[in-house]
Amino acid sequence: MGQEIKIFNNSQDIAQYLSFTLEEDIFMSYEENRCFCIALSGGNTPKIIFQHLADSYLKKEIIWDIVHFFWSDERCVPPYDPDSNYGMAYSTLLEKLRVSKNNIHRIKGENAPQKEVIRYSEEIRKKVLTLENNIPCFDYILLGLGNDGHTASLFPGTDKILDSESLCEVSQHPSSGQNRITFTPKLINNAKKVVFIVTGKDKAEIVSTIINSAKRNQYPASLINPGKGQLLWLLDTESFSK
Ligand code: 6PG
């Protein structure tokens, strides 16, 4: 469907836009009598976005019963660990919205990675009922972008993972060695809508490279190109340089 770039003054405006478009698409799923499956991203950028989303949604009637939350990647740590992407999303968003535990499908970072990657892939197959190309089709997948061009926990130089035919893989952070569970490009590119949320001037160079440059191909984020789906960049003015 193509790529769209939207520039905002700050994270709050990004969150306001995301809150509106998400609400619209959740309502469309409700009208079509089907679940809405979203995978949340991790790291620091989404934290402020989730806080603003919670503030916005607390004033609205959203049909959370049909919304199922997943993660596009997770650090292999327990849920109460400050590094946990689930822990951050739960405390900033899901707990405030009183989302049912039945609708929260966290990656169990406390489990052995090689077992958890299988368990989580099976949970995705069981819960994400919409299929495209006979693989689970998420309604939304949120992603961040690292300065080295990684996204989710898809890091440069890990071609076996980047080319994987699986839904999820075990990866390692290149400097800390921390084990991660990550969606693969195959699963991400099968989504209806993939949303990169990137802010801050320290990301301007990598954003410009991924969006505009011929050198983009050396970075994992350049592999994100949902076939029939939409690729949306939500950037602030600092992270977008013409
Ligand atoms: C993670 C994320 C990762 C993150 C980028 C950007 O688990 O860390 O999935 O891909 O989105 O590293 O992180 P910041 O938002 O902290 O810059």
Side-chain angles (χ1 to χ4, degrees), residues 42-45 73 75 85 144-146 150-152 180 203:
N44 298 314
T45 303
D73 76 319
R75 292 82 179 274
N85 289 336
L145 180 64
H150 83 259
T151 188
R180 305 282 185 91
K203 299 285 177 72

Side-chain angles (χ1 to χ4, degrees), residues 84-147:
S84 168
N85 289 336
Y86 155 79
M88 180 273 284
Y90 186 75
S91 60
T92 55
L93 179 63
L94 303 178
E95 186 179 31
K96 290 179 184 171
L97 299 179
R98 297 194 180 84
V99 174
S100 159
K101 293 271 188 198
N102 296 330
N103 289 44
I104 297 174
H105 310 282
R106 71 177 182 91
I107 298 170
K108 296 182 179 174
E110 66 275 25
N111 288 351
Q114 294 303 339
K115 285 191 175 168
E116 180 55 18
V117 71
I118 294 165
R119 188 204 68 79
Y120 199 59
S121 301
E122 284 166 2
E123 182 160 7
I124 290 171
R125 284 197 184 282
K126 260 191 289 192
K127 301 291 182 184
V128 182
L129 303 178
T130 305
L131 298 179
E132 185 73 37
N133 311 309
N134 198 32
I135 54 178
C137 175
F138 278 85
D139 293 278
Y140 271 55
I141 295 179
L142 305 186
L143 295 174
L145 180 64
N147 282 316

Side-chain angles (χ1 to χ4, degrees), residues 51 77 98 108 113 143 145 173 184 212-213:
Q51 286 164 343
V77 295
R98 297 194 180 84
K108 296 182 179 174
L143 295 174
L145 180 64
H173 189 279
T184 57
N212 305 315
S213 156

Side-chain angles (χ1 to χ4, degrees), residues 40-47 72-75 83 85 142-148 150-155 173 178 180-182 197-199 202-203:
L40 303 179
S41 55
N44 298 314
T45 303
K47 194 167 183 173
S72 45
D73 76 319
E74 183 58 281
R75 292 82 179 274
D83 245 13
N85 289 336
L142 305 186
L143 295 174
L145 180 64
N147 282 316
D148 61 353
H150 83 259
T151 188
S153 284
L154 300 165
F155 297 105
H173 189 279
Q178 184 184 58
R180 305 282 185 91
I181 306 286
T182 185
I197 303 175
V198 191
T199 62
D202 64 322
K203 299 285 177 72

Side-chain angles (χ1 to χ4, degrees), residues 15-237:
Q16 201 162 14
Y17 173 81
L18 183 62
S19 138
F20 170 74
T21 186
L22 252 179
E23 182 183 0
E24 267 198 331
D25 289 340
I26 291 170
F27 186 70
M28 293 259 288
S29 297
Y30 176 74
E31 291 275 286
E32 294 161 8
N33 193 28
R34 56 181 195 79
C35 292
F36 182 90
C37 296
I38 178 170
L40 303 179
S41 55
N44 298 314
T45 303
K47 194 167 183 173
I48 188 166
I49 303 288
F50 292 165
Q51 286 164 343
H52 288 309
L53 275 184
D55 295 345
S56 157
Y57 283 141
L58 284 173
K59 302 173 196 124
K60 298 180 179 179
E61 283 300 311
I62 307 284
I63 317 124
W64 295 118
D65 289 354
I66 69 160
V67 183
H68 286 262
F69 293 89
F70 298 76
W71 277 261
S72 45
D73 76 319
E74 183 58 281
R75 292 82 179 274
C76 292
V77 295
Y80 50 76
D81 187 296
D83 245 13
S84 168
N85 289 336
Y86 155 79
M88 180 273 284
Y90 186 75
S91 60
T92 55
L93 179 63
L94 303 178
E95 186 179 31
K96 290 179 184 171
L97 299 179
R98 297 194 180 84
V99 174
S100 159
K101 293 271 188 198
N102 296 330
N103 289 44
I104 297 174
H105 310 282
R106 71 177 182 91
I107 298 170
K108 296 182 179 174
E110 66 275 25
N111 288 351
Q114 294 303 339
K115 285 191 175 168
E116 180 55 18
V117 71
I118 294 165
R119 188 204 68 79
Y120 199 59
S121 301
E122 284 166 2
E123 182 160 7
I124 290 171
R125 284 197 184 282
K126 260 191 289 192
K127 301 291 182 184
V128 182
L129 303 178
T130 305
L131 298 179
E132 185 73 37
N133 311 309
N134 198 32
I135 54 178
C137 175
F138 278 85
D139 293 278
Y140 271 55
I141 295 179
L142 305 186
L143 295 174
L145 180 64
N147 282 316
D148 61 353
H150 83 259
T151 188
S153 284
L154 300 165
F155 297 105
T158 61
D159 292 354
K160 186 173 165 294
I161 294 172
L162 300 178
D163 299 337
S164 170
E165 289 295 307
S166 303
L167 300 183
C168 301
E169 287 283 359
V170 178
S171 70
Q172 281 77 34
H173 189 279
S175 46
S176 69
Q178 184 184 58
N179 281 320
R180 305 282 185 91
I181 306 286
T182 185
F183 278 12
T184 57
K186 182 181 178 77
L187 178 58
I188 296 170
N189 287 335
N190 205 52
K192 286 192 174 72
K193 192 178 278 189
V194 179
V195 186
F196 275 105
I197 303 175
V198 191
T199 62
K201 56 180 173 302
D202 64 322
K203 299 285 177 72
E205 188 175 345
I206 190 65
V207 166
S208 174
T209 302
I210 300 291
I211 290 180
N212 305 315
S213 156
K215 287 193 295 181
R216 64 194 305 274
N217 296 332
Q218 56 191 289
Y219 301 106
S222 68
L223 297 173
I224 304 308
N225 178 16
K228 291 186 190 156
Q230 184 193 356
L231 178 58
L232 180 58
W233 289 84
L234 303 184
L235 305 172
D236 70 355
T237 47

